[in-house]
Amino acid sequence: MCWAFMRWAPPLADSSKPSSFRRVPMRRRKTGQSAPMPGCSAPARTRIRMIWTDYLFEPIESFRAFNYLKSLDPRWPVSVAVADVGHQIAQNKPDTWHRLNVRAWGFVQSNINGAHDRQTHVYSEPTICANDTDTDQNLTAAQQLEGRTPEDLSHGTMTINYPGADSFTELSGTGDPDGLATDPLTPEIVPGSAVPPPCRVSGAATFSGRYSALSETVDRHVLYVGLGDVQVDYVQTGVTAQLDARVWDVAPNGTAILVTRGTYRIDPAKGDIGGTLRLPLFGNQWNIELGHRIRIDLSEVDTPYLVPGKTPNTLNISDIRLVLPTREATTLTFAGSQTSA
């Protein structure tokens, strides 16, 4: 009997604590053929629990693993669940952990007597922040979504076209206070605290060396769910470069809360020779409320979370677009305005 778990724990009475994490290597198999893990008599049952807001274990990696296994066999017994749990940057609400652990335990029980091919699902819960200025939301609500693939969670897109252009070097973004404010391991959660830590808030609407821009006011409620990406046209000189992105939800009172982020290493030796760059985001399930705006930050340095590039370079970007998958089956387009310092 073989199992492959990523962040799994049984449904304990106190299920608010994340369990240990380990990766198990997968082996290729042809569609329709059984290819067990080494030493196993059947395909590994795989339960993947990843975190929308834990940037040390990004959902994009679990989605890639899910899609890879399903490409080998559409009925491979693999299940994925994503929610606002994990390291310090996540809220780790006990109700959320309990629901995830109950689902994980059900997956174990359904496979405990032997693996069997099955149609499985991707399960998602939203990030709902206590400090999002919305007093009407139920902070413990599940708002559960399911799909047969990660892509099935969304049915439409929201595109924001941001104006202007910018030029970076390997030092651009150094000293940005929002880097420390959004680090996954800072600050630490107080053990035993009954109140989840607030979602990360921006302390600098603009910063020298960083491109920042705001969308126009969103004229309806939009449910962002999935990964999304930032697309830019670019010209780069030097050995390598790095482009880091943060996406913020800005309330009418100006409070900006981190929604997601992403990073891309530009390497001409790997074929990055200019043109259009697509920077994948880590994703989330997030309610964008009527009257809010979406801010994007771009730079080459996002410390202490990411190790910055060390090779001298110049990176020129323009024609900046943010594309977010939405639950609603609509194609929305919004304009933006640059606010860089």
Side-chain angles (χ1 to χ4, degrees):
M1 180 179 295
C2 297
W3 295 89
F5 284 114
M6 290 183 174
R7 279 201 175 275
W8 172 84
L12 304 176
D14 179 9
S15 57
S16 62
K17 303 295 189 296
S19 62
S20 61
F21 178 89
R22 68 186 179 97
R23 292 186 183 273
V24 179
M26 303 297 178
R27 196 176 77 180
R28 287 183 178 273
R29 66 172 177 167
K30 295 181 180 179
T31 301
Q33 292 184 337
S34 174
M37 299 286 288
C40 303
S41 59
R45 311 149 185 84
T46 311
R47 173 72 179 180
I48 304 175
R49 173 178 298 162
M50 296 303 285
I51 303 95
W52 282 131
T53 47
D54 185 342
Y55 302 127
L56 299 182
F57 301 109
E58 306 91 348
I60 189 173
E61 298 300 333
S62 60
F63 287 174
R64 285 171 177 166
F66 180 94
N67 287 333
Y68 171 71
L69 293 176
K70 289 296 188 180
S71 72
L72 300 179
D73 186 338
R75 297 186 65 81
W76 188 297
V78 54
S79 179
V80 175
V82 282
D84 181 21
V85 293
H87 281 87
Q88 286 90 325
I89 199 168
Q91 295 182 95
N92 288 293
K93 299 173 185 176
D95 287 342
T96 303
W97 269 113
H98 179 72
R99 286 190 293 266
L100 293 179
N101 287 336
V102 167
R103 294 182 70 91
W105 187 239
F107 183 83
V108 171
Q109 290 179 311
S110 67
N111 288 278
I112 197 69
N113 292 321
H116 54 277
D117 290 351
R118 58 185 295 185
Q119 180 65 60
T120 52
H121 293 81
V122 175
Y123 166 85
S124 174
E125 289 197 14
T127 301
I128 301 177
C129 301
N131 57 335
D132 63 1
T133 74
D134 184 356
T135 59
D136 297 327
Q137 287 185 336
N138 180 356
L139 297 180
T140 61
Q143 297 184 14
Q144 302 164 349
L145 299 177
E146 289 195 35
R148 291 191 174 182
T149 68
E151 294 74 22
D152 283 347
L153 295 174
S154 61
H155 305 299
T157 59
M158 175 182 182
T159 300
I160 304 172
N161 297 306
Y162 293 103
D166 216 329
S167 181
F168 300 140
T169 72
E170 71 280 3
L171 300 178
S172 296
T174 302
D176 184 349
D178 282 341
L180 182 61
T182 59
D183 182 66
L185 298 179
T186 307
E188 294 187 0
I189 296 174
V190 178
S193 173
V195 180
C199 297
R200 302 303 173 89
V201 176
S202 170
T206 61
F207 183 77
S208 178
R210 181 185 82 192
Y211 172 91
S212 294
L214 276 172
S215 74
E216 62 182 309
T217 301
V218 178
D219 61 0
R220 69 195 73 188
H221 171 271
V222 179
L223 178 55
Y224 159 45
V225 57
L227 300 178
D229 57 63
V230 177
Q231 301 172 17
V232 303
D233 291 348
Y234 77 101
V235 176
Q236 180 255 344
T237 60
V239 179
T240 61
Q242 180 172 307
L243 185 61
D244 304 322
R246 300 190 204 104
V247 177
W248 307 83
D249 183 340
V250 183
N253 69 355
T255 300
I257 297 180
L258 184 67
V259 177
T260 187
R261 70 198 320 163
T263 185
Y264 190 98
R265 185 172 185 266
I266 300 169
D267 188 349
K270 303 295 184 180
D272 298 327
I273 55 175
T276 299
L277 180 152
R278 177 181 170 273
L279 185 158
L281 298 170
F282 296 160
N284 209 335
Q285 181 179 329
W286 186 275
N287 290 289
I288 302 173
E289 300 296 340
L290 170 70
H292 286 221
R293 295 185 292 174
I294 301 300
R295 189 181 103 199
I296 188 171
D297 294 343
L298 299 172
S299 67
E300 282 208 46
V301 177
D302 187 1
T303 56
Y305 169 52
L306 297 171
V307 176
K310 298 179 180 179
T311 59
N313 73 84
T314 299
L315 177 62
N316 298 311
I317 62 170
S318 60
D319 197 11
I320 300 157
R321 290 94 61 199
L322 172 65
V323 182
L324 301 178
T326 63
R327 185 66 174 178
E328 298 82 3
T330 56
T331 301
L332 303 174
T333 302
F334 294 92
S337 58
Q338 188 170 350
T339 60
S340 299

